[in-house]
Amino acid sequence: MVLGGCAAPRGIMLPEMQTWPARQDTLGALEHWEFRGRIGVSAGSEGFNGKLRWKQNNDRFDVTVSVPLVAGAIEIEGRGGSVRMTDKDGEVTDMQDVEADIRARYGWTIPVESLRYWALGIPAPGSPAITEVDDYGQLTSLEQRGWMVTVSQYREGGGQPMPRRVAATSADAKVRLVIDHWIVR
């Protein structure tokens, strides 16, 4: 019983997703999931590498980016249509346009609202996308909102292949994710 209290959260098993339409439908309908991994962002001479935790509950998300050599972390919370960022110094900012506000503050940006979907390996809804998939119905690349996204590796998450390595590149920034652990609820 003592060991049971220390176990990591397990999550549910996803159904088979052997076609692109099945993958889009299944992953697009997920309401509760999280992943932990690493993130790298570069934009010109600016950028960072750090740890990333993303927790999604319906239209609410909590993202924590921890950057070594910098005391603290950046937290981004989304609640419906509002997004709030707390920086490493504890300063809280309510954001109107997340990407533009992050760019103005740090000189680089991450596509926060789309990254939720791209990390799952599907296009963000509400915006046209050009997609390429492999023979297993898994996304290999997409172009959306001025970003080129590639998924170069998959690994098990919820009993099915989920993105492990994701790169998103725009005209002025590059975001790299390495997802180490998926939990689907």
Side-chain angles (χ1 to χ4, degrees):
M1 286 220 276
V2 173
L3 292 176
C6 297
R10 298 208 34 108
I12 64 168
M13 299 301 277
L14 293 167
E16 292 277 335
M17 300 179 289
Q18 295 182 352
T19 66
W20 176 236
R23 179 168 281 280
Q24 285 185 283
D25 291 346
T26 300
L27 298 178
L30 283 181
E31 295 180 342
H32 307 284
W33 53 269
E34 68 180 271
F35 69 80
R36 294 183 191 115
R38 294 161 278 153
I39 186 171
V41 176
S42 57
S45 63
E46 300 291 326
F48 68 89
N49 291 306
K51 293 181 180 180
L52 175 69
R53 181 189 63 80
W54 189 298
K55 187 172 186 178
Q56 189 75 41
N57 287 304
N58 295 315
D59 67 346
R60 298 172 58 131
F61 65 86
D62 294 294
V63 177
T64 303
V65 179
S66 304
V67 182
L69 306 177
V70 177
I74 297 170
E75 296 181 11
I76 302 172
E77 301 173 56
R79 304 290 183 259
S82 68
V83 178
R84 172 176 282 182
M85 182 178 72
T86 305
D87 70 13
K88 66 181 182 65
D89 298 321
E91 184 178 331
V92 177
T93 304
D94 290 320
M95 301 183 161
Q96 303 303 314
D97 180 336
V98 180
E99 289 182 40
D101 290 348
I102 290 173
R103 179 178 283 114
R105 184 176 204 132
Y106 296 109
W108 49 264
T109 194
I110 56 177
V112 173
E113 294 172 356
S114 295
L115 200 56
R116 163 192 178 175
Y117 298 96
W118 298 346
L120 290 169
I122 59 175
S127 181
I130 300 170
T131 59
E132 289 185 25
V133 298
D134 65 15
D135 293 339
Y136 304 102
Q138 299 167 354
L139 183 73
T140 57
S141 67
L142 78 86
E143 290 181 54
Q144 189 173 37
R145 297 185 52 238
W147 290 82
M148 179 63 183
V149 180
T150 59
V151 181
S152 60
Q153 185 179 18
Y154 282 78
R155 80 179 305 171
E156 188 275 331
Q160 294 297 317
M162 295 292 286
R164 161 112 167 109
R165 293 187 181 276
V166 180
T169 305
S170 71
D172 62 353
K174 182 172 185 175
V175 179
R176 296 169 317 281
L177 295 178
V178 177
I179 300 171
D180 297 318
H181 185 70
W182 280 99
I183 299 172
V184 180
R185 295 191 170 91

